[in-house]
Structure formats: C-alpha cells, structure tokens
Amino acid sequence: MILLLQILQILLDVVWWVIVVQAILSWLIAFNVINTSNEGVRTIWNALQRMTDPLYRPIRRVLPDFGALDLSPLVVLIVIAILDKIIRAAIVQQVYGGAVTG
C-alpha cells in the first residue's frame, strides 16, 4: 500500500512540474522571448499542451471566462497540493499507525 501511495505521489510531482514548465514556456512565448516558428519549441509546446489539456478542460468548463487570463493551471496546482497532503498523511499513517497530527 505504501509503495502505491509513493508512486502516486511521484506522479503528482511530475504533473506539477509539467504544469510549471508549461506556464513558464507560455510566458516566454507571450513575451516573444522564444519563437514558436522553431520546430523544437513548437514540438515541446504541443507535447505540453497534449499532456495538460485533459486536466484543464473540466476546470475551464466550470470557471468563468476571464479573457486572456487562464486560471485553470492554478486550480490544478491547488488540487495537486491538496492530494499531496492527503497522500503524505496516508503514508505516515501506514508507516507509524494511528492518527496523524499536524
């Protein structure tokens, strides 16, 4: 059970980093620091879009439209943080038994 929780925690960490990298890349593209006409940049951007769009799509349906401001990555990061806390508490409970404090 602990191993499965640890694997889930690692997967959440990977998703967190993918979202952070995509956010940074989108800012760099928006401010013309890097150009999407470069094949490598375009490939990375498309791969990140394909990985994160399934996570963002349900949230974008619920959130109101803020124009150019997309808050769905922030919502996903908050959900990941909450899940991470729950998983950490479950791991501690599995290892030490009993209630988790703090």
Side-chain angles (χ1 to χ4, degrees):
M1 180 68 175
I2 294 173
L3 181 62
L4 291 175
L5 291 172
Q6 289 173 335
I7 290 171
L8 186 58
Q9 192 174 22
I10 290 170
L11 290 174
L12 287 175
D13 287 342
V14 169
V15 171
W16 188 87
W17 279 108
V18 166
I19 292 171
V20 168
V21 167
Q22 183 194 26
I24 293 170
L25 188 61
S26 72
W27 295 334
L28 293 174
I29 290 171
F31 293 117
N32 288 325
V33 176
I34 56 177
N35 194 350
T36 55
S37 63
N38 182 330
E39 183 65 33
V41 172
R42 188 172 44 247
T43 301
I44 292 170
W45 179 247
N46 288 336
L48 290 172
Q49 290 285 87
R50 288 184 183 144
M51 284 188 264
T52 56
D53 273 348
L55 296 172
Y56 298 157
R57 200 173 303 122
I59 295 168
R60 286 180 179 149
R61 277 189 243 135
V62 176
L63 283 179
D65 186 19
F66 293 108
L69 184 62
D70 185 15
L71 296 179
S72 55
L74 180 63
V75 173
V76 172
L77 289 176
I78 291 170
V79 169
I80 288 173
I82 292 168
L83 290 174
D84 186 56
K85 293 253 185 219
I86 293 170
I87 292 171
R88 286 182 192 274
I91 290 173
V92 169
Q93 187 175 12
Q94 289 287 320
V95 170
Y96 296 111
V100 178
T101 60

